[in-house]
């Protein structure tokens, strides 16, 4: 028997409505399940603290009653992981660390007292969903540290004149230290100005005037900062100057011939006359005095000048970078030049030489005795 058309239509409508209801129910039930997935609703932002201070790191979670919550410390490159707590229990055995759990806000607060430099790092709040799945939030703790200049910074440098020079300075610390360069006695830097900021100080072409001590100063506002002295030595060819290019002295008197040498490395110095190198003997005395690494004073003393000792003398200085010389003309005078002749005149020479001071002393003694005798005679 055939059903009426109205009955069939009613049955189809009911089936359609039932299907739509199931779909609607599934759609409504989906979001409800999603809201029950654990989430981290709040975590403390980046912290910057001083050594010895205290910090609190808070992590609030939702829908995590049935899941394990951990605090974990890791390094910046994630290579070193340390578990600090699980649930409301602290795992780390360190009296500086403590954990506080607030049931009403489901927050886990990690407190660190007496902060040390090693406490710096990334702290993660983790909710473990499964063996292979977890959600996490992280906060970075930075600890202010005074600058320490690294050992890989330049300590000393030796450069030949005209060559480039590069001095480097690096420092650790937090905040990141600023590097400033300056010279001893605030002398002008080869780059211009009294100071230069940057890790690397470049000198494109070194001059001998650039030699000396440079200061690398690292500062980040924590403590007094750090400083390193960098010694720059510049190798250069000798420069010879003669303070008295022409000197004169009477026969039988001593005379000093001088030259000043500026060079690095220290040069070999010699005196020549008529292309013959001189040495200390009964006619000459050689002496040298280094006033600094780069400065040397050389003196040639002519002893009891003779006719053959007058003429041109050459002061010659040589190092690996070059050679220089200065000339002194030694001539005869009628009157002895003082110094160094004062009280050193010789008559006759040899062991029987009589100094002018001895003659004057004898004359003074005779005159005194004559005066005394005359005084006694009158009385």
């Amino acid at each position: 028997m055939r059903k009426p058309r109205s009955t069939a239509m009613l049955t189809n409508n009911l089936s359609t409505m039932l299907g739509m209801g199931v779909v609607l129910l599934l759609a409504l039930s989906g979001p409800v399940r999603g809201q029950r997935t654990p989430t981290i609703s709040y975590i403390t932002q980046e912290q910057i603290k001083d050594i010895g201070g205290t910090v609190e790191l808070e992590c609030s979670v939702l829908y995590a009653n049935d899941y394990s919550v951990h605090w974990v410390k890791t390094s910046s490159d994630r290579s070193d992981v340390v578990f600090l707590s699980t649930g409301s229990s602290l795992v780390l055995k360190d009296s500086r660390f403590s954990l506080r759990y607030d049931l009403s806000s489901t927050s886990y607060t990690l407190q660190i007292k007496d902060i040390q430099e090693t406490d710096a790092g990334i702290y993660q709040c983790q909710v473990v969903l499964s063996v292979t799945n977890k959600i996490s939030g992280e906060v970075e703790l930075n600890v202010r540290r005074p600058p320490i200049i690294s050992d890989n910074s330049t300590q000393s440098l030796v450069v030949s004149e005209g060559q480039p020079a590069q001095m480097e300075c690096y420092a650790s610390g937090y905040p990141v230290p600023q590097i400033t360069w300056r010279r001893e006695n605030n002398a002008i830097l080869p780059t211009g100005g009294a100071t230069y900021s940057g890790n690397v100080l470049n000198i494109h072409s070194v001059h001998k005037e650039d030699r000396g001590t440079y200061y690398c100063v690292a500062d980040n506002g924590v403590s007094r900062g750090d400083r390193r002295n960098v010694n720059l030595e510049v190798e250069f060819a000798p420069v010879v100057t003669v303070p008295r290019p022409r000197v004169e002295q009477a026969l039988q008197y001593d005379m000093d011939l001088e030259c000043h040498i500026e060079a690095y490395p220290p040069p070999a110095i010699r005196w020549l006359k008529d292309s013959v190198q001189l040495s200390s003997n009964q006619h000459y005395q050689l002496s040298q005095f280094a006033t600094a690494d780069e400065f040397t004073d050389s003196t040639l003393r002519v002893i009891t000048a003779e006719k053959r000792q007058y003429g041109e003398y050459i002061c010659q200085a040589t190092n690996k970078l070059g050679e220089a010389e200065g000339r002194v003309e030694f001539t005869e005078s009628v009157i002895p030049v003082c110094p160094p002749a004062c009280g050193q005149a010789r008559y006759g020479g040899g062991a029987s030489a009589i100094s002018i001071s001895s003659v004057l002393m004898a004359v003074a003694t005779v005159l005194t005795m004559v005066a005394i005798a005359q005084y006694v005679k009158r009385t």
Side-chain angles (χ1 to χ4, degrees):
M1 184 175 181
R2 196 169 186 178
K3 291 184 180 180
R5 179 176 295 182
S6 60
T7 304
M9 291 178 62
L10 180 61
T11 301
N12 290 336
N13 290 337
L14 289 172
S15 298
T16 301
M17 293 175 64
L18 181 61
M20 292 176 62
V22 171
V23 172
L24 181 60
L25 181 61
L26 291 173
L28 291 172
S29 62
V32 171
R33 287 198 192 96
Q35 290 176 0
R36 294 300 178 183
T37 301
T39 60
I40 296 176
S41 60
Y42 172 80
I43 190 165
T44 303
Q45 299 301 302
E46 178 187 10
Q47 296 290 297
I48 301 174
K49 297 294 181 179
D50 294 318
I51 292 176
T54 300
V55 68
E56 289 192 346
L57 309 178
E58 182 182 348
C59 175
S60 298
V61 297
L62 295 176
Y63 317 123
N65 293 335
D66 299 328
Y67 297 91
S68 180
V69 179
H70 306 294
W71 271 109
V72 176
K73 179 180 182 289
T74 182
S75 56
S76 299
D77 58 3
R78 306 298 198 273
S79 61
D80 189 20
V81 177
V82 178
F83 278 88
L84 305 175
S85 69
T86 178
S88 59
S89 300
L90 194 67
V91 175
L92 183 67
K93 303 301 181 183
D94 189 329
S95 60
R96 297 185 303 111
F97 286 73
S98 62
L99 183 69
R100 185 172 68 252
Y101 173 64
D102 189 326
L103 182 60
S104 62
S105 61
T106 59
S107 62
Y108 299 80
T109 303
L110 180 68
Q111 185 185 73
I112 309 173
K113 296 180 178 179
D114 189 20
I115 293 173
Q116 304 299 312
E117 184 177 337
T118 53
D119 294 330
I122 296 174
Y123 290 78
Q124 290 185 340
C125 176
Q126 299 179 348
V127 182
V128 180
L129 304 179
S130 67
V131 176
T132 59
N133 190 20
K134 64 183 177 183
I135 60 173
S136 63
E138 60 184 38
V139 52
E140 185 173 6
L141 172 61
N142 286 301
V143 180
R144 291 188 183 94
R145 307 184 307 278
I148 298 177
I149 294 178
S150 308
D151 291 336
N152 63 343
S153 301
T154 306
Q155 298 187 22
S156 62
L157 195 62
V158 179
V159 183
S160 296
E161 190 171 27
Q163 297 297 310
Q166 179 173 287
M167 291 177 277
E168 301 180 6
C169 185
Y170 303 98
S172 61
Y174 189 87
V176 176
Q178 298 295 314
I179 303 297
T180 303
W181 293 89
R182 61 184 180 87
R183 290 186 71 177
E184 189 175 21
N185 300 322
N186 289 319
I188 300 299
L189 290 165
T191 53
T195 61
Y196 173 81
S197 297
N199 295 97
V200 180
L201 178 64
N202 281 308
I203 306 174
H204 299 295
S205 180
V206 173
H207 302 284
K208 67 178 186 292
E209 292 80 14
D210 298 330
R211 67 187 184 272
T213 302
Y214 290 73
Y215 299 132
C216 161
V217 180
D219 185 39
N220 65 353
V222 181
S223 186
R224 297 174 56 187
D226 197 11
R227 189 183 83 171
R228 168 165 293 181
N229 297 354
V230 181
N231 187 47
L232 174 63
E233 288 285 4
V234 179
E235 295 181 327
F236 59 97
V239 177
V240 177
T241 56
V242 176
R244 295 183 298 160
R246 183 179 178 87
V247 296
E248 56 182 21
Q249 185 60 285
L251 283 167
Q252 299 298 309
Y253 287 88
D254 296 352
M255 175 51 69
D256 290 339
L257 283 57
E258 301 172 334
C259 72
H260 302 320
I261 301 100
E262 184 182 7
Y264 190 84
I269 301 172
R270 61 179 187 165
W271 284 87
L272 301 98
K273 184 180 186 300
D274 300 328
S275 301
V276 177
Q277 182 174 342
L278 304 177
S279 59
S280 293
N281 52 34
Q282 69 271 27
H283 301 294
Y284 297 102
Q285 181 181 345
L286 288 167
S287 61
Q288 293 178 12
F289 179 70
T291 56
D293 287 341
E294 304 89 356
F295 296 97
T296 305
D297 292 337
S298 181
T299 302
L300 173 67
R301 170 162 288 191
V302 180
I303 301 173
T304 314
E306 302 174 4
K307 283 282 188 182
R308 61 187 179 88
Q309 290 177 295
Y310 295 117
E312 185 180 65
Y313 289 78
I314 297 175
C315 171
Q316 191 178 83
T318 307
N319 68 6
K320 68 178 184 179
L321 296 174
E323 177 181 292
E325 62 182 33
R327 297 172 183 265
V328 182
E329 185 71 27
F330 181 38
T331 59
E332 182 181 355
S333 67
V334 177
I335 301 173
V337 177
C338 178
C342 308
Q344 295 180 356
R346 303 281 202 277
Y347 296 95
S352 61
I354 303 173
S355 69
I356 189 171
S357 59
S358 299
V359 173
L360 292 174
M361 182 68 72
V363 171
T365 302
V366 172
L367 291 175
T368 302
M369 293 177 65
V370 171
I372 294 173
Q374 291 178 349
Y375 175 77
V376 171
K377 187 180 292 185
R378 284 198 296 267
T379 58

